[in-house]
Amino acid sequence: MDFDVIVLGAGIVGVSCAIHLQDRSRRVALLDRGAPGDGTSFGNAGLIERSAVTPYAFPRSMGALLRYARNRSTDLYWDYKALPGFAPWLARYWHESSPARLAEAARDMLPLVRLCVDEHNALVARAGADAATLVHPTGWIEAFRTPSEYSAAAKRAEQLASAQGLRLDTLDGAALRAREPALSDAFCAGLHWLDPECVTNPGALTKAYAALFETGGGTIVSGDAATARAENDAWTVQTLNGTISARELVVALGPWSDTVFAPLGYRIPLRAKRGYHMHYEATREAPLGRAILDREQGYVIAPMQRGLRLTTGIELAAREAPPTGIQLARAEAYARPAFGLGQRLDPQPWLGLRPCTPDMRPVIGPAPRHRGLWFAFGHAHHGLTLGPVTGRLLAEMMTGAAPFTDPSPYRPARF
């Protein structure tokens, strides 16, 4: 065999899997069509989200459903042409979002979330000074426009923080502006989650981890993951320089993972929630210190190396559909006066895909019907957060070590 393992996908999850397998003496090839970190891992809000102990659920209140049905909200836009294709997936998502099932999903995700910052910091320490300049222990802030929304959210947040041992500062209007002078008076209060960390260039962080992998002797190759085939007790993939083979294959292609698992007969309900980002010039004298979520409008403004990045909420549309620009325009109308956004810095909005399963858990573990085939995808909004901890868990499973947590909630065979 050319390698022990071929990892398909050089986003944050695939790179992390490759490093952890290499740490356990596996000869690893990391394959992607593009450069590491240039896909979904490039365009997110840059949060290592230690406080994300409850998954993003399908809204179940009648008020929220009616609001989204009008299709005029900032945090969700849906393309009517795509809804028939999404309908079965959305129905299961709604079912899995019942209070009891959501609580079960939160319990299942907690072991991964608890270690997310520690696992990132371990890789950052190894990846060197360039990586260290990208990660900042500033936490992030939920900002609220109306007192009633803040009051209800603060009660829930304080209960959650107490139950989970999370650090939380509740901020009235004056305290919020003292902590973030760049904010306008559009916001009346905020919740500062202190445990998460902010990344000022997620794509560059992924590249720094990929460089660590190469420094350790790993191989990065360009090729087409869809050419993966099982042949004579091995897996082969076509690269630009010919065919490579390995005993084991890891599918970590995020929203494109179905290009490999579907031809092999797996019917995993993986769908992509689309999202956009754009960078803007900062016009206010005080710099923004951390990511801010406009809770009531559903977008994030985060300080990045390139400027202020606006990251939108969810767009439900066909994966291959052209960008619409609708959601970004809606969010920008609220964000520009609130944050003092200046001119756009990107020639066009960036469009990315969040790989989601309806039960709000990633798919991590062995494929049930193919020897040597492993899955690591479906991290929804938290791919950056959960990449390194996923890499550790998968590598432990693949090498016969005792997993740090029970991996059964993420098993591919559940579908």
Side-chain angles (χ1 to χ4, degrees):
M1 302 295 170
D2 298 307
F3 300 94
D4 297 319
V5 185
I6 300 171
V7 177
L8 304 179
I12 187 64
V13 175
V15 170
S16 299
C17 290
I19 292 172
H20 278 282
L21 286 164
Q22 182 185 70
D23 288 345
R24 290 158 177 80
S25 302
R26 297 299 190 266
R27 294 175 300 127
V28 183
L30 181 63
L31 180 142
D32 205 310
R33 284 183 172 178
D38 281 355
T40 301
S41 297
F42 175 80
N44 54 67
L47 291 173
I48 303 173
E49 239 299 53
R50 172 63 183 88
S51 62
V53 295
T54 302
Y56 287 102
F58 194 102
R60 294 176 70 89
S61 73
M62 186 56 65
L65 292 173
L66 289 175
R67 181 167 67 89
Y68 291 135
R70 298 188 188 100
N71 207 20
R72 296 177 182 175
S73 65
T74 303
D75 52 340
L76 173 67
Y77 169 75
W78 47 270
D79 180 359
Y80 73 93
K81 298 186 296 295
L83 277 190
F86 271 91
W89 188 90
L90 289 172
R92 183 164 181 180
Y93 186 18
W94 180 87
H95 174 72
E96 296 287 351
S97 297
S98 70
R101 290 179 178 273
L102 179 60
E104 184 179 349
R107 288 193 297 270
D108 287 343
M109 293 302 298
L110 190 57
L112 302 183
V113 175
R114 277 179 173 161
L115 289 180
C116 66
V117 169
D118 291 343
E119 291 296 331
H120 262 288
N121 287 342
L123 291 187
V124 167
R126 295 170 57 190
D130 288 345
T133 63
L134 301 173
V135 182
H136 307 275
T138 57
W140 66 282
I141 292 176
E142 293 182 74
F144 294 83
R145 293 173 177 267
T146 56
S148 59
E149 289 288 337
Y150 168 72
S151 178
K155 290 179 181 178
R156 294 191 299 268
E158 288 173 336
Q159 292 171 353
L160 182 65
S162 177
Q164 299 296 339
L166 297 170
R167 296 175 297 150
L168 173 69
D169 283 349
T170 55
L171 309 172
D172 62 17
L176 175 62
R177 280 180 284 281
R179 193 154 298 185
E180 285 293 351
L183 294 181
S184 77
D185 59 4
F187 301 108
C188 67
L191 300 171
H192 187 177
W193 297 94
L194 299 166
D195 296 284
E197 299 190 344
C198 289
V199 180
T200 54
N201 191 328
L205 184 65
T206 304
K207 292 181 186 296
Y209 291 171
L212 172 65
F213 168 68
E214 283 192 297
T215 300
T219 301
I220 298 177
V221 295
S222 180
D224 183 359
T227 64
R229 298 289 184 272
E231 297 181 4
N232 300 323
D233 202 32
W235 290 93
T236 64
V237 188
Q238 300 300 317
T239 78
L240 292 182
N241 296 317
T243 303
I244 59 174
S245 63
R247 293 278 184 199
E248 296 181 289
L249 184 78
V250 175
V251 180
L253 293 162
W256 304 101
S257 296
D258 62 335
T259 61
V260 175
F261 71 68
L264 294 172
Y266 295 95
R267 298 294 177 258
I268 298 172
L270 183 73
R271 297 304 298 258
K273 297 178 185 176
R274 297 173 20 138
Y276 298 85
H277 84 223
M278 171 60 68
H279 292 97
Y280 299 83
E281 179 185 22
T283 64
R284 295 194 174 144
E285 183 176 350
L288 195 66
R290 56 191 54 79
I292 310 289
L293 167 65
D294 184 339
R295 170 54 71 185
E296 291 162 74
Q297 294 302 325
Y299 65 86
V300 175
I301 298 290
M304 296 281 172
Q305 289 181 334
R306 183 165 169 75
L308 296 179
R309 176 183 289 185
L310 188 162
T311 304
T312 72
I314 298 164
E315 180 180 75
L316 297 181
R319 184 171 60 185
E320 298 82 6
T324 64
I326 294 172
Q327 198 174 40
L328 182 65
R330 291 176 179 175
E332 187 179 290
Y334 288 96
R336 192 175 289 281
F339 293 88
L341 302 185
Q343 65 179 352
R344 289 186 172 190
L345 300 179
D346 302 324
Q348 60 187 16
W350 182 88
L351 169 61
L353 305 168
R354 305 172 178 111
C356 302
T357 63
D359 68 355
M360 296 164 285
R361 300 163 178 85
V363 180
I364 307 171
R369 298 191 302 275
H370 290 79
R371 181 188 302 177
L373 179 62
W374 298 81
F375 294 152
F377 54 79
H379 294 78
H381 298 254
H382 299 305
L384 177 65
T385 294
L386 300 177
V389 72
T390 294
R392 173 183 167 182
L393 179 60
L394 187 75
E396 288 171 348
M397 297 169 69
M398 291 180 66
T399 59
F404 71 86
T405 188
D406 177 12
S408 62
Y410 328 117
R411 65 193 184 283
R414 72 186 191 270
F415 294 115

